[in-house]
Amino acid sequence: MTPATKPLDIGHGVGLRREHFARVLSAPTRVDWFEIISENFMVDGGRPLDILMRVRRDYPVVMHGVSLSIGSTDPLDMDYLDRLRRLADRVEASWVSDHLCWTGVGGHNTHDLLPMPYSEEALEHVVSRVSRVQEKLGRRIALENPSSYLTFAASSLSESEFLAVVAERADCGILLDVNNVYVSSVNHRFDPVAYMDSIPRNRVWQFHLAGHSDHGAYLLDTHDHPVPDPVWDLYRHAVGRFGAVPTLVEWDANIPEWDVLEAESLQARKVRDKIVAAELQPEGAS
Amino acid sequence: MTRDGQGSGSDSPDLRRTQELFWDLIAAPQGVRPGLAALRASGRMDAGDLSFMIRGDDRLAPEDRLDIYASMYFYRLRDSLAEDFPKVAAIIGGAAFHNLVTDYLLAHPSRHWSLRYLGVPFAGFLASQDLSRSFPYLADLARLEWARIEMFDAADADVLTRDEAAVAGPDLHLGLIPATTILPFEWNVAPIWRHLEHEAAHDDGGGSNSAAVTGDNQEEFAAPMSVDRPEQQKTPTLVWRQGFAVYHRTLPPTESPCLEAALRDGVALPELCEILMGGEKEPDMQAAMRTVAGLLGRWLKDGLVVRPGFVSS
Ligand SMILES: [Fe+2]
């Protein structure tokens, strides 16, 4: 199965959104790769697919899904997995990711990333499903930590412990969303640095960076802002711990002009390069 | 952040039960607390609150935390439908659309992995609602909006060119590309569609609200837009995609039975002549052949005719 271990560092990407289709196709950009929302391209034909294939000629494409529902107690959707695999094969996706969550039950789909209880029961359930999904897709997947707004009474593990064990036991990757770690750390009052430090180094395939909004009693993961300072700080820590991991800036609402988005990605590159260069300094050098 | 000694273990519902309860409560139309009361009233739950399942703290009670998800669920789906049916929403206004979607989601919650299919039964649902008494043409307008979405990402196909059609001559067997559909409207809604499209283009998109994103319940709803009621008349309407652009046009009485036959299972040119003479649209073979030639020219120009033998992937 691919990727064998950690995927190659493909640098800095942004989400491919229709607001930027024309710009991305008309001239070179300074981003290294694009991430797509898989479901938006799991269609029969038309413009989005055509655009995607044209973008793919010039850039690596990473597939990021929202409907895998890995934590649901409903059966896995084989039709969905078939189509996901076909798209991944067709665009030769660098890798495929989704979220550590469930999206519906009883045949319903909420189209939302719903939180898991971090219990032994849920752990067994998720591990066995990740293994079956990876089998079906013929490739390993990465799971992202979602932002969350509640904790279940049934949770006996922390989220980072749960994620780490899933990754080890199911042999999958982790898409570490730095903004989500921050948002959840405020919402649930945990230490985001300790969270990161309990994630195994070699399991993290990708970072997400994004903005959120403050609702007083909680932070909401909105992807409608530039990356805020506390998230940049946490990103520095993440690069220090996990190294030069491919990084994506997410911006899904109030989508800015291309140049603004590109600049945010370039900023991530600058931050990452600085940390990585410092790590490479021989000891004693200042 | 590990075991904190409270709640975990035997008192908690299992994963299946947790998810079912979670779904029932976030889909409850009035919010989590009324949903909880309804579950209790129906004897499906005895707990007084949700603390057996969700931890609260000094900032938010368990029910408030679940309400965050309930809001995200509703607003995301409502905004998705508003994006799919912007003209229906514009005519009835934001508040009525909000209420319509509340009822719609109870009757037709999403069962597909893609949000793309959420609106499939929307026009039919609309037709069954009281709203359709004040706006009898609204379901047809919804059908038009939906068909345009369907055609937007329908399967690709190779289109027959004029030259290829000339080579095939009278032997040509006409089939239509997958991105073609004909809607049998009772109301002539195309002029309203055009009017609202024009309005939206000059509105600069300022109307897009992001309640789903902010979770803000104090949003201001757009007022209903007054439009002239369309004529009640049978208006078969063709919706199709040419290249990457979606179009629609009303079909004249001579064209619609011909195009319908071609859409069903393909048609040979002599059959088209028979359709025209049988329906007494044309008096004789010569007139019928002239009309068919005209129709064919138009269909080729519109990119409606599929290249024979083309199998879409
Ligand atoms: Fe993310």
Side-chain angles (χ1 to χ4, degrees), chain B residues 61-82:
Chain B
E63 295 77 18
D64 298 322
R65 294 197 170 270
L66 194 53
D67 252 329
I68 298 172
Y69 287 96
S71 295
M72 288 196 298
Y73 164 68
F74 177 76
Y75 286 106
R76 182 191 309 278
L77 270 50
R78 187 202 65 178
D79 289 355
S80 170
L81 287 167

Side-chain angles (χ1 to χ4, degrees), chain A:
Chain A
M1 290 206 214
T2 55
T5 53
K6 239 169 134 147
L8 289 177
D9 173 26
I10 56 173
H12 293 265
V14 297
L16 180 63
R17 300 292 176 261
R18 65 171 177 243
E19 287 79 354
H20 301 136
F21 281 172
R23 166 63 188 85
V24 169
L25 290 174
S26 65
T29 73
R30 296 169 73 190
V31 303
D32 302 320
W33 52 276
F34 285 93
E35 185 180 79
I36 59 165
I37 300 298
S38 312
E39 289 78 5
N40 292 351
F41 297 89
M42 289 159 69
V43 293
D44 294 328
R47 184 166 177 255
L49 266 183
D50 179 74
I51 302 257
L52 173 60
M53 296 318 290
R54 283 157 64 192
V55 167
R56 179 66 189 88
R57 278 184 229 151
D58 298 325
Y59 302 90
V61 166
V62 168
M63 279 169 51
H64 184 52
V66 293
S67 303
L68 179 61
S69 200
I70 197 72
S72 174
T73 49
D74 274 3
L76 286 168
D77 185 335
M78 291 302 161
D79 168 60
Y80 172 75
L81 291 173
D82 278 335
R83 294 191 72 137
L84 189 65
R85 179 173 186 156
R86 252 180 283 152
L87 183 64
D89 290 346
R90 188 167 172 188
V91 303
E92 300 174 80
S94 298
W95 60 87
V96 175
S97 65
D98 204 293
H99 302 80
L100 178 65
C101 72
W102 61 291
T103 60
V105 73
H108 300 114
N109 193 343
T110 66
H111 303 282
D112 225 321
L113 309 174
L114 306 176
M116 294 295 295
Y118 299 126
S119 62
E120 293 294 336
E121 181 200 7
L123 187 64
E124 291 296 329
H125 183 66
V126 170
V127 167
S128 91
R129 278 164 69 101
V130 172
S131 303
R132 277 154 57 210
V133 165
Q134 295 188 140
E135 192 90 359
K136 178 90 182 153
L137 296 179
R139 45 170 62 76
R140 296 197 299 153
I141 59 169
L143 288 180
E144 171 178 352
N145 57 301
S147 282
S148 73
Y149 310 101
L150 62 78
T151 308
F152 286 98
S155 291
S156 55
L157 300 168
S158 70
E159 181 177 287
S160 58
E161 286 168 340
F162 190 93
L163 190 56
V165 178
V166 167
E168 293 294 347
R169 284 187 36 203
D171 189 20
C172 68
I174 293 172
L175 193 182
L176 191 63
D177 186 312
V178 177
N179 175 57
N180 290 350
V181 171
Y182 180 74
V183 165
S184 294
S185 78
V186 172
N187 291 347
H188 307 305
R189 293 189 175 124
F190 64 73
D191 174 3
V193 169
Y195 181 111
M196 292 205 167
D197 290 348
S198 63
I199 299 288
R201 276 204 170 81
N202 61 345
R203 289 285 169 191
V204 176
W205 293 2
Q206 183 190 340
F207 294 135
H208 270 174
L209 294 173
H212 53 258
S213 40
D214 190 343
H215 283 239
Y218 61 98
L219 300 183
L220 191 68
D221 178 33
T222 43
H223 298 183
D224 59 347
H225 285 72
V227 178
D229 286 340
V231 176
W232 283 123
D233 288 342
L234 207 50
Y235 179 56
R236 287 186 188 92
H237 181 78
V239 174
R241 175 169 173 77
F242 301 103
V245 168
T247 301
L248 178 109
V249 173
E250 293 187 290
W251 209 320
D252 299 313
N254 296 329
I255 294 180
E257 295 288 310
W258 170 258
D259 292 351
V260 175
L261 179 63
E262 188 181 57
E264 200 72 344
S265 179
L266 293 174
Q267 180 61 25
R269 184 192 306 270
K270 225 166 96 182
V271 169
R272 204 188 82 167
D273 285 352
K274 201 170 154 191
I275 305 280
V276 171
E279 303 269 313
L280 292 177
Q281 295 263 327
E283 231 157 293
S286 58

Side-chain angles (χ1 to χ4, degrees), chain B residues 62-110:
Chain B
E63 295 77 18
D64 298 322
R65 294 197 170 270
L66 194 53
D67 252 329
I68 298 172
Y69 287 96
S71 295
M72 288 196 298
Y73 164 68
F74 177 76
Y75 286 106
R76 182 191 309 278
L77 270 50
R78 187 202 65 178
D79 289 355
S80 170
L81 287 167
E83 223 177 273
D84 289 348
F85 300 98
K87 294 176 175 60
V88 169
I91 288 174
I92 65 177
F97 191 78
H98 181 102
N99 294 334
L100 178 66
V101 170
T102 304
D103 295 338
Y104 178 69
L105 291 178
L106 284 177
H108 301 284
S110 173

Side-chain angles (χ1 to χ4, degrees), chain B residues 183-188 231-237 250-251:
Chain B
L183 302 167
F185 288 151
E186 297 292 326
W187 297 82
N188 183 13
E231 288 170 81
Q232 182 170 14
Q233 63 181 70
K234 292 215 181 301
T235 319
T237 300
T250 302
L251 294 171

